[in-house]
Amino acid sequence: MVDMPFGVSRLDSMLNGGVPTGSVVLLATEPGAGGRKFAHTSAAINALATTNNAAFEHHYRGIDHEGVIVPATVHYLSVAATADSLETTLTETVSSEIAAQATDGITHHDLSQPYFEATDVPDAWYQHDEQVSTLPGADTDGDAVDDSDGTDPFEYAEDVGAITDDGKGEERPDAAADETETDGDTRSMTDSGGHNAPDTAGILSALRASLDDAVGGNLVVIDAITDLDDLPDETVSWDAVVRLLRGLTRLVTDRGGLVLVVADAEAVTDPQLGSLSAAATGTLSFSWETGGSQRARLLSIRELPGALDRLDRDEIAAFESELHDRGYDLSNVRKIH
């Protein structure tokens, strides 16, 4: 079995290196309880492995396990952070030094335009010249520049690329380009006179396109899938969101890699959150400990196929967490309930 690290040092150590590739893990988080910081840490530390190997080994406290690969690329999909603000976003969790070095290894997908087009937010607040940032470290011919300084700690994953309907590896046409209306996500192709109108992709079409490009031997962070619940039902229905996540799970199972899906637990109902959890392969729950004079962030491993059974039988899969310059990590105190 091949594993991919979360980038959260103590958790990866307990899991003997990470989680099996082909996993889609839901990060269900209460406000400020650590789910988003977990995602930021995962993106930053895994990207650091490709941009500054020595810094990665220093900060991550390397894992010495066979069959562990770091992602070939890190992709960050969001409607809030822009490519220009991604480094600032990461510094909310990791040190500014780590954030600056890690940003060069992250491909950012800005989904703000198709998202906000379905709202009453003014165009000038979210329009940008570019929707997807070019992966830094590439020259003008598109060839990647090797900025690492040292021997890679793990064997790197290969970008599998697009799969086809017939499984033969040939390039397939973009199905999203032919859509006119699917799962409540609308794309305008012609105006009332039958002439070609501006091709404006709906948010689900844009999200599908980004995922189709990103999935395959990579770490992908979606921040946050519950943002889609804010949109009108006629634009995006919740059933369509759940189907998208279920289809994504199938895609990642085929292509490999790891996808982390942030879900704000208080932004949706318990049944909605449960439907997301059922569509993913695993769920990590982030909450605040109740009672006592001090508040503590808790991580509970709700479901993690292929990894949960690696914990000792006497361990309860709920842990206190802490924040330091390396980002989110488990503390030395284990909560036993």
Side-chain angles (χ1 to χ4, degrees):
M1 180 180 295
V2 177
D3 293 332
M4 188 167 285
F6 281 118
V8 175
S9 183
R10 290 193 182 105
L11 178 59
D12 287 337
S13 294
M14 287 189 296
L15 296 175
N16 295 331
V19 67
T21 57
S23 298
V24 175
V25 180
L26 186 72
L27 309 180
T29 182
E30 294 180 1
R36 188 166 275 103
K37 294 187 181 300
F38 185 102
H40 289 167
T41 301
S42 184
I45 296 300
N46 276 293
L48 197 63
T50 62
T51 61
N52 190 328
N53 211 293
F56 170 79
E57 292 183 328
H58 172 72
H59 291 293
Y60 182 62
R61 321 286 193 193
I63 298 293
D64 185 19
H65 292 288
E66 294 183 359
V68 179
I69 57 173
V70 295
T73 307
V74 176
H75 292 258
Y76 190 91
L77 286 61
S78 72
V79 300
T82 65
D84 291 338
S85 70
L86 182 57
E87 182 178 330
T88 301
T89 298
L90 294 180
T91 57
E92 297 172 0
T93 301
V94 299
S95 69
S96 57
E97 176 187 1
I98 292 177
Q101 296 174 343
T103 304
D104 288 344
I106 299 175
T107 300
H108 179 261
H109 299 250
D110 183 357
L111 302 173
S112 60
Q113 182 162 328
Y115 174 83
F116 285 116
E117 280 177 346
T119 72
D120 53 3
V121 173
D123 294 354
W125 290 13
Y126 61 83
Q127 285 185 341
H128 306 290
D129 293 336
E130 239 181 348
Q131 285 298 113
V132 180
S133 65
T134 301
L135 178 63
D139 61 22
T140 55
D141 295 326
D143 295 327
V145 177
D146 184 7
D147 295 328
S148 60
D149 53 353
T151 303
D152 296 342
F154 305 123
E155 175 189 355
Y156 277 38
E158 296 182 357
D159 190 349
V160 178
I163 61 174
T164 64
D165 290 337
D166 60 8
K168 295 180 180 178
E170 297 176 358
E171 185 177 356
R172 65 180 180 185
D174 183 4
D178 297 327
E179 291 174 347
T180 55
E181 184 173 351
T182 305
D183 290 338
D185 180 36
T186 304
R187 166 179 287 188
S188 176
M189 298 300 292
T190 60
D191 59 22
S192 58
H195 303 293
N196 289 335
D199 186 10
T200 303
I203 180 61
L204 285 190
S205 293
L207 182 55
R208 283 192 294 262
S210 289
L211 289 169
D212 199 47
D213 174 62
V215 171
N218 304 318
L219 170 67
V220 180
V221 175
I222 303 175
D223 184 12
I225 197 168
T226 44
D227 290 339
L228 300 178
D229 190 49
D230 294 335
L231 299 175
D233 289 341
E234 59 270 20
T235 302
V236 176
S237 69
W238 188 252
D239 288 344
V241 175
V242 175
R243 285 194 295 270
L244 177 68
L245 184 56
R246 189 173 293 116
L248 174 62
T249 299
R250 174 66 178 271
L251 180 66
V252 178
T253 300
D254 289 340
R255 294 191 187 180
L258 172 62
V259 177
L260 303 180
V261 184
V262 178
D264 293 309
E266 294 190 4
V268 293
T269 65
D270 288 343
Q272 285 178 307
L273 194 61
S275 65
L276 292 177
S277 182
T281 56
T283 299
L284 303 182
S285 179
F286 301 81
S287 60
W288 290 99
E289 180 188 17
T290 57
S293 59
Q294 294 183 339
R295 302 180 75 194
R297 295 181 177 92
L298 295 182
L299 163 64
S300 300
I301 303 179
R302 302 282 296 276
E303 182 69 24
L304 209 57
L308 189 56
D309 56 356
R310 301 175 188 177
L311 298 175
D312 293 338
R313 291 182 180 274
D314 294 334
E315 291 178 341
I316 303 300
F319 311 95
E320 280 189 2
S321 61
E322 62 184 6
L323 297 173
H324 43 63
D325 62 351
R326 300 188 306 275
Y328 181 99
D329 207 348
L330 303 186
S331 69
N332 290 321
V333 179
R334 182 168 302 133
K335 300 301 294 185
I336 304 297
H337 299 286

